[in-house]
Amino acid sequence: MEDLRIKYVDLEQSENLESHRTNGFRNTKSLVVRRGAPFKVSVQLEGRPFSPKIDTLRVKVMLGNLYAVMPVTFSKSSSKSSWNAYIDPEEWNPLKPSIYICSPASASVGSYRFQLCVLTQDGQKSSAYGNFILLCNPWCSEDTVYIPFEDQREEYIQSDSGLLFMGSGTNIVARPWSFDQYEPGVLEACLNLLQVSPQQKKNRKMDYLNRNNPVYLSRVVSAMINSEDDRGVLKGNWTGDFKQGVSPSMWTGSGDILRKWNQSGNSPVKYGQCWVFAAVMCTVMRVLGIPCRVITNFNSAHDTNGNLVIEEYYSATGQKLNRTKDSIWNFHVWVECWMTRRDLESGMDGWQVLDPTPQQRSGGVYCCGPAPVKAIKNKRVDLFYDVPFVYASVNADIHTIILGQGQVLGFSKDTERVGSLICTKAVGFPRLQKITGDYKYIKSPTSTLSSRSSSSSGDSTLRRAGSSQGVLVFLTLDKSPIVGEPVSFSVKIMNKQNVAKMLKVHLNAQAKEYNHSPSDTFWENHGVLQLAPMEVKVVRQKIPLAQYEDVVGDNLINLAVVVEDMASQERVLSSEEFNIASPQLIIQVADEKSIMQHSEQTALVTFINPYSYPVSGVLTVAGAGLLQGKVQFRMPPLPPGGRVDQPIAFMPNMVGKKMLQASLWLTNMNATIRGFKMVSVNSV
């Protein structure tokens, strides 16, 4: 009888990528598929046709030193709980049989090898080998990461761009970010991150076995994004000195960071801060097939002693003092991942908080989560992982203390400011979605003097009242501040008593980074005000551009007013922390409704100088799926009010919604101007 041999194996790349929704990974060396769904391989035989009566086909799949062996059957298997392989009788071809290999919906994520054997009745054996990468499958209802809505799967798995929300709750900045999961080298870096983790080094077999569980995977990734305990991706730096690396505000996407880490032999990339850690983690989780989104918590408490109280100290003239280890970050960024929590009681499935920014240890390692959002809302601090830490971030009280000559001159309590706005990018649209109500029960305002954040955009303001027995003070921004214009605000002072009052009014402005106490005062104003019994007066003030433009950049401003009753010595404080919105780059695309794959297009990037002096800098334009790499242009000095238009040629290589983003680094003032444009690319 003639020999029966395998000539070659065709991994049917196009068909498998389409059916497994992994089209974006088309340029990867290995086939990329999702667990719980069959993928097809075609076997070209030679010598003689295959005879099911006397010949056998067998498949062996291997992950590290784990393996499963299965016979190839002639009936479609519906099992999602074990590895199996079958031939569809309707597609039977004895010279080129098509075999479907199906992994369980609980298979481990990783880079697999497989062996395909044909065995004859007389003991002859012929083998062929191949590789495939197996990811989680949010389209499969038996998978623990299953998310039931297609628009959410598109947003939280497949979208390779997004927005990170920063600034302050009254003047939110939407920063474009490219997640880059389909860019060259990114998938490989994400898989390598699992391979160099301490868990893999400690016990390879247990690590491979545990990789079936998104709870385990997410904790490994959360720890590996920072480099505090391991060969992690990013080194954090909040000192302001970034000479040894790249300033966190300069990154525009995850691809550069992950590739740099992988190509350097896993040396940490310098530097990251919270939004960079979170955005890179979002990329890794989406690559692994676990639905993920980036979350911003405005006024995020960092409660070092766990008492759910943050103390803030001010001088008698309104200068904020650095007197405590506790702090309120103007914003803090983490991620949420969607998964079933079989390790917890029922009702804890869905979104889980994970925070890769190294702040405190969890199980001895710098990571945080997954903490169920539902557990945080219901104060289930008995559940793991790290629910108490996240609960404090969104629920701590603020005690504000006015100090003078070692004495407490005034005290107030704010139960509303922390976690005043929690948000993420909306599904399918480049705008903000509020999710504060997922984390906490929102109290309805009981009076017009409520100190709650009202909204987040346009001309909305945050009012925070300071009150004593005799005086009530409001500090209100007249509108969201914009670079190039004065900061206009009003101080409303109410005399609550039936006696006239003579008041000292102290105004103080300090620049601050989002996570630090403010630096020295850069603007102040002091005066005396007389109020008749029960009188209300409004003092209008402006901080001119010339006073703030040299200190702002990416910083925020802490503005405070202290009103002192000269008769009773009572002092009342009201404060506000806000950012001054930078101008935006404007990006226009010619004929944007007919953008085609593999067809050259042109975009125009426009910048108008709003500053009172000339600026120069470097313009960088990038777009995953639109541009190969980045393009840079040097901008010569541009006078105040001057305009520059830079055309950009690009050729899309991927279909779908893509982000074109531009950033202008102003070299003479250490600031970055950004802009983005979403474009829809159609297939040819």
PDB file of all heavy atoms in Angstrom, residues 155 159-164 177-183 186 252-255 258 278-284 286-287 292-294 425 624 661:
ATOM      1  N   GLU A 155     -16.240  48.518  21.239  1.00  0.00           N
ATOM      2  CA  GLU A 155     -15.579  49.607  21.957  1.00  0.00           C
ATOM      3  C   GLU A 155     -14.481  49.092  22.878  1.00  0.00           C
ATOM      4  O   GLU A 155     -13.364  49.612  22.889  1.00  0.00           O
ATOM      5  CB  GLU A 155     -16.605  50.395  22.777  1.00  0.00           C
ATOM      6  CG  GLU A 155     -16.022  51.555  23.578  1.00  0.00           C
ATOM      7  CD  GLU A 155     -15.616  52.735  22.720  1.00  0.00           C
ATOM      8  OE1 GLU A 155     -16.372  53.098  21.794  1.00  0.00           O
ATOM      9  OE2 GLU A 155     -14.527  53.297  22.970  1.00  0.00           O
ATOM     10  N   SER A 159     -11.690  48.499  19.548  1.00  0.00           N
ATOM     11  CA  SER A 159     -11.291  49.887  19.273  1.00  0.00           C
ATOM     12  C   SER A 159      -9.832  50.106  19.671  1.00  0.00           C
ATOM     13  O   SER A 159      -9.434  49.803  20.797  1.00  0.00           O
ATOM     14  CB  SER A 159     -12.201  50.852  20.029  1.00  0.00           C
ATOM     15  OG  SER A 159     -11.787  52.182  19.795  1.00  0.00           O
ATOM     16  N   ASP A 160      -9.057  50.664  18.727  1.00  0.00           N
ATOM     17  CA  ASP A 160      -7.625  50.874  19.010  1.00  0.00           C
ATOM     18  C   ASP A 160      -7.297  52.329  19.336  1.00  0.00           C
ATOM     19  O   ASP A 160      -6.144  52.740  19.306  1.00  0.00           O
ATOM     20  CB  ASP A 160      -6.753  50.371  17.853  1.00  0.00           C
ATOM     21  CG  ASP A 160      -7.075  51.053  16.529  1.00  0.00           C
ATOM     22  OD1 ASP A 160      -7.963  51.923  16.493  1.00  0.00           O
ATOM     23  OD2 ASP A 160      -6.434  50.701  15.517  1.00  0.00           O
ATOM     24  N   SER A 161      -8.324  53.124  19.666  1.00  0.00           N
ATOM     25  CA  SER A 161      -8.075  54.501  20.106  1.00  0.00           C
ATOM     26  C   SER A 161      -9.142  54.887  21.113  1.00  0.00           C
ATOM     27  O   SER A 161     -10.179  54.229  21.226  1.00  0.00           O
ATOM     28  CB  SER A 161      -8.107  55.465  18.919  1.00  0.00           C
ATOM     29  OG  SER A 161      -9.406  55.505  18.350  1.00  0.00           O
ATOM     30  N   GLY A 162      -8.864  55.951  21.863  1.00  0.00           N
ATOM     31  CA  GLY A 162      -9.837  56.387  22.858  1.00  0.00           C
ATOM     32  C   GLY A 162      -9.485  57.751  23.406  1.00  0.00           C
ATOM     33  O   GLY A 162      -8.599  58.452  22.890  1.00  0.00           O
ATOM     34  N   LEU A 163     -10.186  58.143  24.466  1.00  0.00           N
ATOM     35  CA  LEU A 163      -9.957  59.429  25.125  1.00  0.00           C
ATOM     36  C   LEU A 163      -9.681  59.180  26.599  1.00  0.00           C
ATOM     37  O   LEU A 163     -10.346  58.361  27.238  1.00  0.00           O
ATOM     38  CB  LEU A 163     -11.183  60.340  24.980  1.00  0.00           C
ATOM     39  CG  LEU A 163     -11.582  60.735  23.564  1.00  0.00           C
ATOM     40  CD1 LEU A 163     -12.879  61.541  23.588  1.00  0.00           C
ATOM     41  CD2 LEU A 163     -10.477  61.545  22.893  1.00  0.00           C
ATOM     42  N   LEU A 164      -8.694  59.897  27.138  1.00  0.00           N
ATOM     43  CA  LEU A 164      -8.403  59.880  28.569  1.00  0.00           C
ATOM     44  C   LEU A 164      -8.839  61.228  29.122  1.00  0.00           C
ATOM     45  O   LEU A 164      -8.443  62.275  28.594  1.00  0.00           O
ATOM     46  CB  LEU A 164      -6.910  59.663  28.818  1.00  0.00           C
ATOM     47  CG  LEU A 164      -6.213  58.569  27.998  1.00  0.00           C
ATOM     48  CD1 LEU A 164      -4.735  58.519  28.358  1.00  0.00           C
ATOM     49  CD2 LEU A 164      -6.867  57.218  28.218  1.00  0.00           C
ATOM     50  N   TRP A 177      -5.751  59.158  22.885  1.00  0.00           N
ATOM     51  CA  TRP A 177      -4.752  58.110  23.143  1.00  0.00           C
ATOM     52  C   TRP A 177      -4.934  57.000  22.126  1.00  0.00           C
ATOM     53  O   TRP A 177      -6.057  56.601  21.822  1.00  0.00           O
ATOM     54  CB  TRP A 177      -4.901  57.542  24.550  1.00  0.00           C
ATOM     55  CG  TRP A 177      -3.771  56.626  24.918  1.00  0.00           C
ATOM     56  CD1 TRP A 177      -3.694  55.274  24.714  1.00  0.00           C
ATOM     57  CD2 TRP A 177      -2.514  56.994  25.508  1.00  0.00           C
ATOM     58  NE1 TRP A 177      -2.493  54.776  25.154  1.00  0.00           N
ATOM     59  CE2 TRP A 177      -1.737  55.820  25.646  1.00  0.00           C
ATOM     60  CE3 TRP A 177      -1.976  58.208  25.944  1.00  0.00           C
ATOM     61  CZ2 TRP A 177      -0.463  55.827  26.205  1.00  0.00           C
ATOM     62  CZ3 TRP A 177      -0.712  58.216  26.494  1.00  0.00           C
ATOM     63  CH2 TRP A 177       0.037  57.038  26.629  1.00  0.00           C
ATOM     64  N   SER A 178      -3.819  56.506  21.609  1.00  0.00           N
ATOM     65  CA  SER A 178      -3.843  55.388  20.671  1.00  0.00           C
ATOM     66  C   SER A 178      -3.466  54.111  21.415  1.00  0.00           C
ATOM     67  O   SER A 178      -2.354  53.993  21.919  1.00  0.00           O
ATOM     68  CB  SER A 178      -2.860  55.658  19.525  1.00  0.00           C
ATOM     69  OG  SER A 178      -2.998  54.695  18.519  1.00  0.00           O
ATOM     70  N   PHE A 179      -4.407  53.171  21.508  1.00  0.00           N
ATOM     71  CA  PHE A 179      -4.125  51.924  22.234  1.00  0.00           C
ATOM     72  C   PHE A 179      -3.218  50.997  21.419  1.00  0.00           C
ATOM     73  O   PHE A 179      -2.500  50.178  21.986  1.00  0.00           O
ATOM     74  CB  PHE A 179      -5.424  51.226  22.621  1.00  0.00           C
ATOM     75  CG  PHE A 179      -6.221  51.998  23.633  1.00  0.00           C
ATOM     76  CD1 PHE A 179      -7.476  52.502  23.328  1.00  0.00           C
ATOM     77  CD2 PHE A 179      -5.704  52.249  24.889  1.00  0.00           C
ATOM     78  CE1 PHE A 179      -8.208  53.237  24.254  1.00  0.00           C
ATOM     79  CE2 PHE A 179      -6.418  52.985  25.830  1.00  0.00           C
ATOM     80  CZ  PHE A 179      -7.674  53.479  25.508  1.00  0.00           C
ATOM     81  N   ASP A 180      -3.261  51.116  20.101  1.00  0.00           N
ATOM     82  CA  ASP A 180      -2.239  50.490  19.225  1.00  0.00           C
ATOM     83  C   ASP A 180      -2.213  48.966  19.274  1.00  0.00           C
ATOM     84  O   ASP A 180      -1.188  48.365  18.940  1.00  0.00           O
ATOM     85  CB  ASP A 180      -0.828  50.992  19.602  1.00  0.00           C
ATOM     86  CG  ASP A 180      -0.619  52.456  19.261  1.00  0.00           C
ATOM     87  OD1 ASP A 180      -1.271  52.946  18.335  1.00  0.00           O
ATOM     88  OD2 ASP A 180       0.216  53.102  19.930  1.00  0.00           O
ATOM     89  N   GLN A 181      -3.320  48.302  19.656  1.00  0.00           N
ATOM     90  CA  GLN A 181      -3.193  46.855  19.845  1.00  0.00           C
ATOM     91  C   GLN A 181      -2.898  46.089  18.562  1.00  0.00           C
ATOM     92  O   GLN A 181      -2.406  44.954  18.619  1.00  0.00           O
ATOM     93  CB  GLN A 181      -4.427  46.268  20.549  1.00  0.00           C
ATOM     94  CG  GLN A 181      -5.753  46.373  19.808  1.00  0.00           C
ATOM     95  CD  GLN A 181      -6.571  47.533  20.320  1.00  0.00           C
ATOM     96  OE1 GLN A 181      -6.054  48.631  20.496  1.00  0.00           O
ATOM     97  NE2 GLN A 181      -7.851  47.307  20.538  1.00  0.00           N
ATOM     98  N   TYR A 182      -3.169  46.687  17.396  1.00  0.00           N
ATOM     99  CA  TYR A 182      -2.899  45.976  16.140  1.00  0.00           C
ATOM    100  C   TYR A 182      -1.592  46.419  15.484  1.00  0.00           C
ATOM    101  O   TYR A 182      -1.245  45.942  14.407  1.00  0.00           O
ATOM    102  CB  TYR A 182      -4.051  46.186  15.154  1.00  0.00           C
ATOM    103  CG  TYR A 182      -5.406  45.884  15.742  1.00  0.00           C
ATOM    104  CD1 TYR A 182      -6.408  46.848  15.792  1.00  0.00           C
ATOM    105  CD2 TYR A 182      -5.668  44.629  16.284  1.00  0.00           C
ATOM    106  CE1 TYR A 182      -7.648  46.570  16.354  1.00  0.00           C
ATOM    107  CE2 TYR A 182      -6.904  44.339  16.852  1.00  0.00           C
ATOM    108  CZ  TYR A 182      -7.893  45.319  16.877  1.00  0.00           C
ATOM    109  OH  TYR A 182      -9.112  45.042  17.439  1.00  0.00           O
ATOM    110  N   GLU A 183      -0.871  47.323  16.121  1.00  0.00           N
ATOM    111  CA  GLU A 183       0.373  47.824  15.540  1.00  0.00           C
ATOM    112  C   GLU A 183       1.474  46.765  15.680  1.00  0.00           C
ATOM    113  O   GLU A 183       1.452  45.937  16.599  1.00  0.00           O
ATOM    114  CB  GLU A 183       0.789  49.130  16.220  1.00  0.00           C
ATOM    115  CG  GLU A 183      -0.181  50.287  15.973  1.00  0.00           C
ATOM    116  CD  GLU A 183      -0.314  50.622  14.501  1.00  0.00           C
ATOM    117  OE1 GLU A 183       0.632  51.174  13.918  1.00  0.00           O
ATOM    118  OE2 GLU A 183      -1.379  50.321  13.916  1.00  0.00           O
ATOM    119  N   VAL A 186       3.111  44.804  19.085  1.00  0.00           N
ATOM    120  CA  VAL A 186       2.365  45.034  20.332  1.00  0.00           C
ATOM    121  C   VAL A 186       1.813  43.730  20.897  1.00  0.00           C
ATOM    122  O   VAL A 186       1.933  43.458  22.101  1.00  0.00           O
ATOM    123  CB  VAL A 186       1.248  46.084  20.109  1.00  0.00           C
ATOM    124  CG1 VAL A 186       0.337  46.170  21.327  1.00  0.00           C
ATOM    125  CG2 VAL A 186       1.873  47.453  19.818  1.00  0.00           C
ATOM    126  N   THR A 252       1.786  59.499  23.410  1.00  0.00           N
ATOM    127  CA  THR A 252       0.496  59.637  22.723  1.00  0.00           C
ATOM    128  C   THR A 252      -0.187  58.289  22.504  1.00  0.00           C
ATOM    129  O   THR A 252      -1.318  58.239  22.035  1.00  0.00           O
ATOM    130  CB  THR A 252       0.671  60.338  21.363  1.00  0.00           C
ATOM    131  OG1 THR A 252       1.580  59.563  20.561  1.00  0.00           O
ATOM    132  CG2 THR A 252       1.231  61.742  21.536  1.00  0.00           C
ATOM    133  N   GLY A 253       0.515  57.192  22.804  1.00  0.00           N
ATOM    134  CA  GLY A 253      -0.073  55.872  22.593  1.00  0.00           C
ATOM    135  C   GLY A 253       0.729  54.800  23.293  1.00  0.00           C
ATOM    136  O   GLY A 253       1.846  55.029  23.777  1.00  0.00           O
ATOM    137  N   SER A 254       0.159  53.598  23.348  1.00  0.00           N
ATOM    138  CA  SER A 254       0.773  52.480  24.066  1.00  0.00           C
ATOM    139  C   SER A 254       1.850  51.769  23.257  1.00  0.00           C
ATOM    140  O   SER A 254       2.746  51.143  23.822  1.00  0.00           O
ATOM    141  CB  SER A 254      -0.299  51.454  24.456  1.00  0.00           C
ATOM    142  OG  SER A 254      -1.332  52.046  25.207  1.00  0.00           O
ATOM    143  N   GLY A 255       1.765  51.833  21.924  1.00  0.00           N
ATOM    144  CA  GLY A 255       2.650  51.048  21.077  1.00  0.00           C
ATOM    145  C   GLY A 255       4.120  51.347  21.301  1.00  0.00           C
ATOM    146  O   GLY A 255       4.939  50.435  21.446  1.00  0.00           O
ATOM    147  N   LEU A 258       5.233  49.817  24.756  1.00  0.00           N
ATOM    148  CA  LEU A 258       5.321  48.356  24.815  1.00  0.00           C
ATOM    149  C   LEU A 258       6.454  47.827  23.939  1.00  0.00           C
ATOM    150  O   LEU A 258       7.180  46.901  24.329  1.00  0.00           O
ATOM    151  CB  LEU A 258       3.988  47.737  24.403  1.00  0.00           C
ATOM    152  CG  LEU A 258       2.881  47.862  25.464  1.00  0.00           C
ATOM    153  CD1 LEU A 258       1.512  47.598  24.869  1.00  0.00           C
ATOM    154  CD2 LEU A 258       3.141  46.919  26.642  1.00  0.00           C
ATOM    155  N   ALA A 278      -2.535  53.358  33.155  1.00  0.00           N
ATOM    156  CA  ALA A 278      -3.876  52.840  32.877  1.00  0.00           C
ATOM    157  C   ALA A 278      -4.073  52.579  31.387  1.00  0.00           C
ATOM    158  O   ALA A 278      -4.630  51.545  30.990  1.00  0.00           O
ATOM    159  CB  ALA A 278      -4.930  53.824  33.393  1.00  0.00           C
ATOM    160  N   ALA A 279      -3.622  53.502  30.543  1.00  0.00           N
ATOM    161  CA  ALA A 279      -3.832  53.344  29.103  1.00  0.00           C
ATOM    162  C   ALA A 279      -3.058  52.151  28.553  1.00  0.00           C
ATOM    163  O   ALA A 279      -3.558  51.403  27.698  1.00  0.00           O
ATOM    164  CB  ALA A 279      -3.424  54.627  28.374  1.00  0.00           C
ATOM    165  N   VAL A 280      -1.829  51.932  29.053  1.00  0.00           N
ATOM    166  CA  VAL A 280      -1.048  50.778  28.592  1.00  0.00           C
ATOM    167  C   VAL A 280      -1.703  49.485  29.081  1.00  0.00           C
ATOM    168  O   VAL A 280      -1.788  48.500  28.338  1.00  0.00           O
ATOM    169  CB  VAL A 280       0.420  50.879  29.074  1.00  0.00           C
ATOM    170  CG1 VAL A 280       1.183  49.597  28.759  1.00  0.00           C
ATOM    171  CG2 VAL A 280       1.104  52.071  28.403  1.00  0.00           C
ATOM    172  N   MET A 281      -2.219  49.484  30.307  1.00  0.00           N
ATOM    173  CA  MET A 281      -2.914  48.289  30.787  1.00  0.00           C
ATOM    174  C   MET A 281      -4.159  48.011  29.941  1.00  0.00           C
ATOM    175  O   MET A 281      -4.469  46.851  29.637  1.00  0.00           O
ATOM    176  CB  MET A 281      -3.303  48.429  32.258  1.00  0.00           C
ATOM    177  CG  MET A 281      -4.033  47.185  32.751  1.00  0.00           C
ATOM    178  SD  MET A 281      -4.088  47.000  34.547  1.00  0.00           S
ATOM    179  CE  MET A 281      -4.930  45.411  34.664  1.00  0.00           C
ATOM    180  N   CYS A 282      -4.867  49.057  29.554  1.00  0.00           N
ATOM    181  CA  CYS A 282      -6.049  48.879  28.705  1.00  0.00           C
ATOM    182  C   CYS A 282      -5.663  48.181  27.399  1.00  0.00           C
ATOM    183  O   CYS A 282      -6.359  47.265  26.942  1.00  0.00           O
ATOM    184  CB  CYS A 282      -6.706  50.233  28.426  1.00  0.00           C
ATOM    185  SG  CYS A 282      -8.258  50.110  27.522  1.00  0.00           S
ATOM    186  N   THR A 283      -4.541  48.584  26.815  1.00  0.00           N
ATOM    187  CA  THR A 283      -4.066  47.929  25.592  1.00  0.00           C
ATOM    188  C   THR A 283      -3.827  46.448  25.824  1.00  0.00           C
ATOM    189  O   THR A 283      -4.289  45.596  25.053  1.00  0.00           O
ATOM    190  CB  THR A 283      -2.760  48.595  25.112  1.00  0.00           C
ATOM    191  OG1 THR A 283      -3.029  49.951  24.758  1.00  0.00           O
ATOM    192  CG2 THR A 283      -2.177  47.859  23.916  1.00  0.00           C
ATOM    193  N   VAL A 284      -3.106  46.111  26.901  1.00  0.00           N
ATOM    194  CA  VAL A 284      -2.765  44.707  27.160  1.00  0.00           C
ATOM    195  C   VAL A 284      -4.028  43.877  27.362  1.00  0.00           C
ATOM    196  O   VAL A 284      -4.165  42.776  26.813  1.00  0.00           O
ATOM    197  CB  VAL A 284      -1.821  44.583  28.378  1.00  0.00           C
ATOM    198  CG1 VAL A 284      -1.525  43.115  28.681  1.00  0.00           C
ATOM    199  CG2 VAL A 284      -0.517  45.346  28.133  1.00  0.00           C
ATOM    200  N   ARG A 286      -7.112  44.471  26.298  1.00  0.00           N
ATOM    201  CA  ARG A 286      -7.851  44.316  25.037  1.00  0.00           C
ATOM    202  C   ARG A 286      -7.171  43.304  24.127  1.00  0.00           C
ATOM    203  O   ARG A 286      -7.835  42.513  23.454  1.00  0.00           O
ATOM    204  CB  ARG A 286      -7.997  45.674  24.342  1.00  0.00           C
ATOM    205  CG  ARG A 286      -8.983  46.603  25.034  1.00  0.00           C
ATOM    206  CD  ARG A 286      -9.223  47.904  24.277  1.00  0.00           C
ATOM    207  NE  ARG A 286     -10.117  48.782  25.039  1.00  0.00           N
ATOM    208  CZ  ARG A 286     -10.564  49.961  24.632  1.00  0.00           C
ATOM    209  NH1 ARG A 286     -10.199  50.421  23.438  1.00  0.00           N
ATOM    210  NH2 ARG A 286     -11.380  50.681  25.380  1.00  0.00           N
ATOM    211  N   VAL A 287      -5.842  43.330  24.100  1.00  0.00           N
ATOM    212  CA  VAL A 287      -5.113  42.331  23.304  1.00  0.00           C
ATOM    213  C   VAL A 287      -5.442  40.926  23.801  1.00  0.00           C
ATOM    214  O   VAL A 287      -5.691  40.008  22.998  1.00  0.00           O
ATOM    215  CB  VAL A 287      -3.590  42.582  23.361  1.00  0.00           C
ATOM    216  CG1 VAL A 287      -2.814  41.361  22.887  1.00  0.00           C
ATOM    217  CG2 VAL A 287      -3.221  43.793  22.499  1.00  0.00           C
ATOM    218  N   CYS A 292     -12.087  46.052  28.350  1.00  0.00           N
ATOM    219  CA  CYS A 292     -11.409  46.995  29.242  1.00  0.00           C
ATOM    220  C   CYS A 292     -11.707  48.423  28.822  1.00  0.00           C
ATOM    221  O   CYS A 292     -11.822  48.719  27.625  1.00  0.00           O
ATOM    222  CB  CYS A 292      -9.896  46.738  29.201  1.00  0.00           C
ATOM    223  SG  CYS A 292      -8.968  47.655  30.453  1.00  0.00           S
ATOM    224  N   ARG A 293     -11.833  49.305  29.817  1.00  0.00           N
ATOM    225  CA  ARG A 293     -12.020  50.730  29.543  1.00  0.00           C
ATOM    226  C   ARG A 293     -11.250  51.547  30.582  1.00  0.00           C
ATOM    227  O   ARG A 293     -11.015  51.073  31.707  1.00  0.00           O
ATOM    228  CB  ARG A 293     -13.501  51.105  29.542  1.00  0.00           C
ATOM    229  CG  ARG A 293     -14.233  50.866  30.860  1.00  0.00           C
ATOM    230  CD  ARG A 293     -15.727  51.094  30.682  1.00  0.00           C
ATOM    231  NE  ARG A 293     -16.463  51.065  31.938  1.00  0.00           N
ATOM    232  CZ  ARG A 293     -17.780  51.235  32.038  1.00  0.00           C
ATOM    233  NH1 ARG A 293     -18.502  51.453  30.947  1.00  0.00           N
ATOM    234  NH2 ARG A 293     -18.386  51.206  33.226  1.00  0.00           N
ATOM    235  N   VAL A 294     -10.870  52.759  30.196  1.00  0.00           N
ATOM    236  CA  VAL A 294     -10.099  53.645  31.080  1.00  0.00           C
ATOM    237  C   VAL A 294     -11.064  54.546  31.844  1.00  0.00           C
ATOM    238  O   VAL A 294     -11.988  55.126  31.258  1.00  0.00           O
ATOM    239  CB  VAL A 294      -9.096  54.485  30.267  1.00  0.00           C
ATOM    240  CG1 VAL A 294      -8.302  55.406  31.186  1.00  0.00           C
ATOM    241  CG2 VAL A 294      -8.150  53.579  29.486  1.00  0.00           C
ATOM    242  N   LYS A 425     -14.960  57.044  28.500  1.00  0.00           N
ATOM    243  CA  LYS A 425     -15.391  57.411  27.144  1.00  0.00           C
ATOM    244  C   LYS A 425     -16.698  56.693  26.825  1.00  0.00           C
ATOM    245  O   LYS A 425     -16.867  55.510  27.125  1.00  0.00           O
ATOM    246  CB  LYS A 425     -14.316  57.033  26.129  1.00  0.00           C
ATOM    247  CG  LYS A 425     -14.704  57.334  24.687  1.00  0.00           C
ATOM    248  CD  LYS A 425     -13.728  56.726  23.709  1.00  0.00           C
ATOM    249  CE  LYS A 425     -14.223  56.836  22.275  1.00  0.00           C
ATOM    250  NZ  LYS A 425     -15.447  56.034  22.034  1.00  0.00           N
ATOM    251  N   ALA A 624      -2.975  55.124  14.369  1.00  0.00           N
ATOM    252  CA  ALA A 624      -2.937  53.670  14.184  1.00  0.00           C
ATOM    253  C   ALA A 624      -3.899  53.283  13.065  1.00  0.00           C
ATOM    254  O   ALA A 624      -5.053  53.694  13.052  1.00  0.00           O
ATOM    255  CB  ALA A 624      -3.317  52.959  15.482  1.00  0.00           C
ATOM    256  N   GLN A 661      -4.325  61.774  15.309  1.00  0.00           N
ATOM    257  CA  GLN A 661      -4.058  62.699  16.412  1.00  0.00           C
ATOM    258  C   GLN A 661      -2.768  63.459  16.178  1.00  0.00           C
ATOM    259  O   GLN A 661      -1.831  62.964  15.553  1.00  0.00           O
ATOM    260  CB  GLN A 661      -4.028  61.967  17.756  1.00  0.00           C
ATOM    261  CG  GLN A 661      -2.966  60.901  17.913  1.00  0.00           C
ATOM    262  CD  GLN A 661      -2.772  60.531  19.384  1.00  0.00           C
ATOM    263  OE1 GLN A 661      -2.649  61.391  20.250  1.00  0.00           O
ATOM    264  NE2 GLN A 661      -2.741  59.240  19.667  1.00  0.00           N
TER     265      GLN A 661
END
